[in-house]
mmCIF file of all heavy atoms in Angstrom:
data_model
loop_
_atom_site.group_PDB
_atom_site.id
_atom_site.type_symbol
_atom_site.label_atom_id
_atom_site.label_comp_id
_atom_site.label_asym_id
_atom_site.label_seq_id
_atom_site.Cartn_x
_atom_site.Cartn_y
_atom_site.Cartn_z
ATOM 1 N N HIS P 151 14.945 19.828 -18.422
ATOM 2 C CA HIS P 151 14.813 21.161 -18.993
ATOM 3 C C HIS P 151 14.629 22.146 -17.835
ATOM 4 O O HIS P 151 13.686 22.024 -17.062
ATOM 5 C CB HIS P 151 13.632 21.213 -19.960
ATOM 6 C CG HIS P 151 13.624 22.488 -20.742
ATOM 7 N ND1 HIS P 151 14.615 22.796 -21.658
ATOM 8 C CD2 HIS P 151 12.794 23.544 -20.730
ATOM 9 C CE1 HIS P 151 14.378 23.977 -22.173
ATOM 10 N NE2 HIS P 151 13.286 24.455 -21.630
ATOM 11 N N ALA P 152 15.546 23.088 -17.724
ATOM 12 C CA ALA P 152 15.523 23.986 -16.561
ATOM 13 C C ALA P 152 15.193 25.406 -17.004
ATOM 14 O O ALA P 152 15.768 25.925 -17.955
ATOM 15 C CB ALA P 152 16.878 23.948 -15.855
ATOM 16 N N VAL P 153 14.254 26.028 -16.288
ATOM 17 C CA VAL P 153 13.853 27.410 -16.551
ATOM 18 C C VAL P 153 14.396 28.276 -15.416
ATOM 19 O O VAL P 153 14.081 28.047 -14.252
ATOM 20 C CB VAL P 153 12.309 27.523 -16.600
ATOM 21 C CG1 VAL P 153 11.880 28.969 -16.823
ATOM 22 C CG2 VAL P 153 11.732 26.609 -17.680
ATOM 23 N N PHE P 154 15.227 29.245 -15.792
ATOM 24 C CA PHE P 154 15.839 30.142 -14.798
ATOM 25 C C PHE P 154 15.216 31.525 -14.941
ATOM 26 O O PHE P 154 15.176 32.086 -16.040
ATOM 27 C CB PHE P 154 17.346 30.260 -15.041
ATOM 28 C CG PHE P 154 18.110 28.969 -14.874
ATOM 29 C CD1 PHE P 154 18.238 28.070 -15.933
ATOM 30 C CD2 PHE P 154 18.712 28.648 -13.660
ATOM 31 C CE1 PHE P 154 18.950 26.880 -15.785
ATOM 32 C CE2 PHE P 154 19.427 27.469 -13.506
ATOM 33 C CZ PHE P 154 19.545 26.585 -14.567
ATOM 34 N N ILE P 155 14.721 32.086 -13.842
ATOM 35 C CA ILE P 155 14.109 33.419 -13.872
ATOM 36 C C ILE P 155 14.742 34.259 -12.759
ATOM 37 O O ILE P 155 14.499 34.026 -11.581
ATOM 38 C CB ILE P 155 12.580 33.339 -13.660
ATOM 39 C CG1 ILE P 155 11.939 32.407 -14.694
ATOM 40 C CG2 ILE P 155 11.961 34.733 -13.725
ATOM 41 C CD1 ILE P 155 10.504 32.010 -14.382
ATOM 42 N N ARG P 156 15.570 35.226 -13.152
ATOM 43 C CA ARG P 156 16.311 36.035 -12.154
ATOM 44 C C ARG P 156 16.828 35.135 -11.019
ATOM 45 O O ARG P 156 16.606 35.386 -9.836
ATOM 46 C CB ARG P 156 15.426 37.159 -11.613
ATOM 47 C CG ARG P 156 15.097 38.195 -12.690
ATOM 48 C CD ARG P 156 14.234 39.320 -12.195
ATOM 49 N NE ARG P 156 14.821 40.070 -11.086
ATOM 50 C CZ ARG P 156 15.854 40.910 -11.194
ATOM 51 N NH1 ARG P 156 16.438 41.087 -12.350
ATOM 52 N NH2 ARG P 156 16.288 41.557 -10.153
ATOM 53 N N ALA P 157 17.518 34.113 -11.446
ATOM 54 C CA ALA P 157 17.838 33.001 -10.537
ATOM 55 C C ALA P 157 19.124 33.239 -9.752
ATOM 56 O O ALA P 157 20.026 33.930 -10.217
ATOM 57 C CB ALA P 157 17.968 31.720 -11.359
ATOM 58 N N PRO P 158 19.192 32.628 -8.576
ATOM 59 C CA PRO P 158 20.455 32.602 -7.837
ATOM 60 C C PRO P 158 21.309 31.437 -8.337
ATOM 61 O O PRO P 158 20.810 30.554 -9.032
ATOM 62 C CB PRO P 158 19.994 32.316 -6.409
ATOM 63 C CG PRO P 158 18.780 31.447 -6.596
ATOM 64 C CD PRO P 158 18.126 31.900 -7.877
ATOM 65 N N TRP P 159 22.585 31.425 -8.010
ATOM 66 C CA TRP P 159 23.350 30.187 -8.111
ATOM 67 C C TRP P 159 24.045 29.946 -6.791
ATOM 68 O O TRP P 159 24.085 30.830 -5.936
ATOM 69 C CB TRP P 159 24.305 30.188 -9.298
ATOM 70 C CG TRP P 159 25.474 31.130 -9.273
ATOM 71 C CD1 TRP P 159 26.284 31.449 -8.212
ATOM 72 C CD2 TRP P 159 25.967 31.883 -10.384
ATOM 73 N NE1 TRP P 159 27.239 32.349 -8.598
ATOM 74 C CE2 TRP P 159 27.084 32.633 -9.926
ATOM 75 C CE3 TRP P 159 25.604 31.987 -11.735
ATOM 76 C CZ2 TRP P 159 27.805 33.479 -10.755
ATOM 77 C CZ3 TRP P 159 26.338 32.817 -12.551
ATOM 78 C CH2 TRP P 159 27.413 33.562 -12.071
ATOM 79 N N VAL P 160 24.560 28.739 -6.638
ATOM 80 C CA VAL P 160 25.244 28.383 -5.402
ATOM 81 C C VAL P 160 26.719 28.673 -5.602
ATOM 82 O O VAL P 160 27.374 28.064 -6.447
ATOM 83 C CB VAL P 160 25.020 26.894 -5.058
ATOM 84 C CG1 VAL P 160 25.798 26.515 -3.790
ATOM 85 C CG2 VAL P 160 23.537 26.605 -4.878
ATOM 86 N N GLU P 161 27.218 29.630 -4.871
ATOM 87 C CA GLU P 161 28.591 30.056 -5.058
ATOM 88 C C GLU P 161 29.549 29.115 -4.315
ATOM 89 O O GLU P 161 30.670 28.912 -4.725
ATOM 90 C CB GLU P 161 28.717 31.484 -4.522
ATOM 91 C CG GLU P 161 29.975 32.132 -4.917
ATOM 92 C CD GLU P 161 29.777 33.431 -5.679
ATOM 93 O OE1 GLU P 161 28.727 33.629 -6.312
ATOM 94 O OE2 GLU P 161 30.689 34.238 -5.643
ATOM 95 N N ASP P 162 29.030 28.526 -3.256
ATOM 96 C CA ASP P 162 29.897 27.735 -2.409
ATOM 97 C C ASP P 162 29.030 26.764 -1.605
ATOM 98 O O ASP P 162 27.984 27.168 -1.108
ATOM 99 C CB ASP P 162 30.614 28.732 -1.479
ATOM 100 C CG ASP P 162 31.618 28.052 -0.602
ATOM 101 O OD1 ASP P 162 32.365 27.231 -1.133
ATOM 102 O OD2 ASP P 162 31.621 28.339 0.608
ATOM 103 N N ALA P 163 29.457 25.515 -1.501
ATOM 104 C CA ALA P 163 28.660 24.526 -0.769
ATOM 105 C C ALA P 163 29.536 23.793 0.238
ATOM 106 O O ALA P 163 30.684 23.442 -0.065
ATOM 107 C CB ALA P 163 28.032 23.532 -1.734
ATOM 108 N N GLY P 164 29.004 23.560 1.422
ATOM 109 C CA GLY P 164 29.737 22.845 2.472
ATOM 110 C C GLY P 164 29.932 21.378 2.122
ATOM 111 O O GLY P 164 29.341 20.856 1.168
ATOM 112 N N GLU P 165 30.768 20.711 2.927
ATOM 113 C CA GLU P 165 31.151 19.330 2.618
ATOM 114 C C GLU P 165 29.992 18.358 2.640
ATOM 115 O O GLU P 165 29.983 17.367 1.911
ATOM 116 C CB GLU P 165 32.200 18.865 3.629
ATOM 117 C CG GLU P 165 33.602 18.994 3.111
ATOM 118 C CD GLU P 165 34.633 18.714 4.193
ATOM 119 O OE1 GLU P 165 34.341 17.891 5.092
ATOM 120 O OE2 GLU P 165 35.707 19.340 4.141
ATOM 121 N N SER P 166 28.993 18.628 3.467
ATOM 122 C CA SER P 166 27.888 17.673 3.562
ATOM 123 C C SER P 166 26.793 17.942 2.524
ATOM 124 O O SER P 166 25.739 17.318 2.549
ATOM 125 C CB SER P 166 27.296 17.709 4.972
ATOM 126 O OG SER P 166 26.983 19.040 5.305
ATOM 127 N N VAL P 167 27.074 18.873 1.621
ATOM 128 C CA VAL P 167 26.086 19.199 0.584
ATOM 129 C C VAL P 167 26.399 18.417 -0.692
ATOM 130 O O VAL P 167 27.536 18.410 -1.162
ATOM 131 C CB VAL P 167 26.106 20.715 0.283
ATOM 132 C CG1 VAL P 167 25.167 21.056 -0.862
ATOM 133 C CG2 VAL P 167 25.736 21.501 1.536
ATOM 134 N N GLN P 168 25.394 17.742 -1.200
ATOM 135 C CA GLN P 168 25.543 17.004 -2.451
ATOM 136 C C GLN P 168 25.130 17.909 -3.608
ATOM 137 O O GLN P 168 24.042 18.492 -3.591
ATOM 138 C CB GLN P 168 24.635 15.766 -2.397
ATOM 139 C CG GLN P 168 24.735 14.876 -3.608
ATOM 140 C CD GLN P 168 23.612 13.835 -3.649
ATOM 141 O OE1 GLN P 168 22.742 13.780 -2.775
ATOM 142 N NE2 GLN P 168 23.610 13.026 -4.695
ATOM 143 N N VAL P 169 26.009 18.042 -4.591
ATOM 144 C CA VAL P 169 25.663 18.842 -5.768
ATOM 145 C C VAL P 169 24.853 17.963 -6.723
ATOM 146 O O VAL P 169 25.304 16.895 -7.137
ATOM 147 C CB VAL P 169 26.932 19.375 -6.467
ATOM 148 C CG1 VAL P 169 26.577 20.070 -7.781
ATOM 149 C CG2 VAL P 169 27.669 20.326 -5.540
ATOM 150 N N LEU P 170 23.645 18.386 -7.045
ATOM 151 C CA LEU P 170 22.770 17.594 -7.919
ATOM 152 C C LEU P 170 22.861 18.043 -9.367
ATOM 153 O O LEU P 170 22.631 17.250 -10.275
ATOM 154 C CB LEU P 170 21.310 17.700 -7.446
ATOM 155 C CG LEU P 170 20.987 17.161 -6.052
ATOM 156 C CD1 LEU P 170 19.533 17.454 -5.686
ATOM 157 C CD2 LEU P 170 21.255 15.658 -5.979
ATOM 158 N N ALA P 171 23.153 19.326 -9.588
ATOM 159 C CA ALA P 171 23.214 19.800 -10.975
ATOM 160 C C ALA P 171 24.059 21.055 -11.087
ATOM 161 O O ALA P 171 24.106 21.877 -10.164
ATOM 162 C CB ALA P 171 21.802 20.075 -11.498
ATOM 163 N N LYS P 172 24.716 21.145 -12.250
ATOM 164 C CA LYS P 172 25.484 22.353 -12.587
ATOM 165 C C LYS P 172 25.064 22.798 -13.973
ATOM 166 O O LYS P 172 24.587 21.975 -14.771
ATOM 167 C CB LYS P 172 26.985 22.030 -12.632
ATOM 168 C CG LYS P 172 27.606 21.707 -11.290
ATOM 169 C CD LYS P 172 29.088 21.408 -11.483
ATOM 170 C CE LYS P 172 29.753 21.099 -10.154
ATOM 171 N NZ LYS P 172 31.163 20.787 -10.308
ATOM 172 N N VAL P 173 25.276 24.066 -14.278
ATOM 173 C CA VAL P 173 25.022 24.548 -15.633
ATOM 174 C C VAL P 173 26.060 23.910 -16.557
ATOM 175 O O VAL P 173 27.244 23.856 -16.224
ATOM 176 C CB VAL P 173 25.130 26.088 -15.692
ATOM 177 C CG1 VAL P 173 24.972 26.591 -17.124
ATOM 178 C CG2 VAL P 173 24.078 26.724 -14.788
ATOM 179 N N GLY P 174 25.594 23.410 -17.712
ATOM 180 C CA GLY P 174 26.481 22.670 -18.610
ATOM 181 C C GLY P 174 27.341 23.548 -19.493
ATOM 182 O O GLY P 174 28.531 23.303 -19.661
ATOM 183 N N ASP P 175 26.771 24.587 -20.063
ATOM 184 C CA ASP P 175 27.577 25.409 -20.973
ATOM 185 C C ASP P 175 27.158 26.870 -20.901
ATOM 186 O O ASP P 175 26.308 27.246 -20.107
ATOM 187 C CB ASP P 175 27.483 24.880 -22.419
ATOM 188 C CG ASP P 175 26.046 24.566 -22.798
ATOM 189 O OD1 ASP P 175 25.142 25.285 -22.327
ATOM 190 O OD2 ASP P 175 25.834 23.610 -23.565
#
Side-chain angles (χ1 to χ4, degrees):
H151 190 66
V153 178
F154 297 86
I155 304 167
R156 293 180 59 72
W159 68 41
V160 177
E161 193 123 335
D162 184 45
E165 263 172 31
S166 52
V167 176
Q168 183 192 1
V169 173
L170 297 175
K172 291 180 179 179
V173 176
D175 46 34

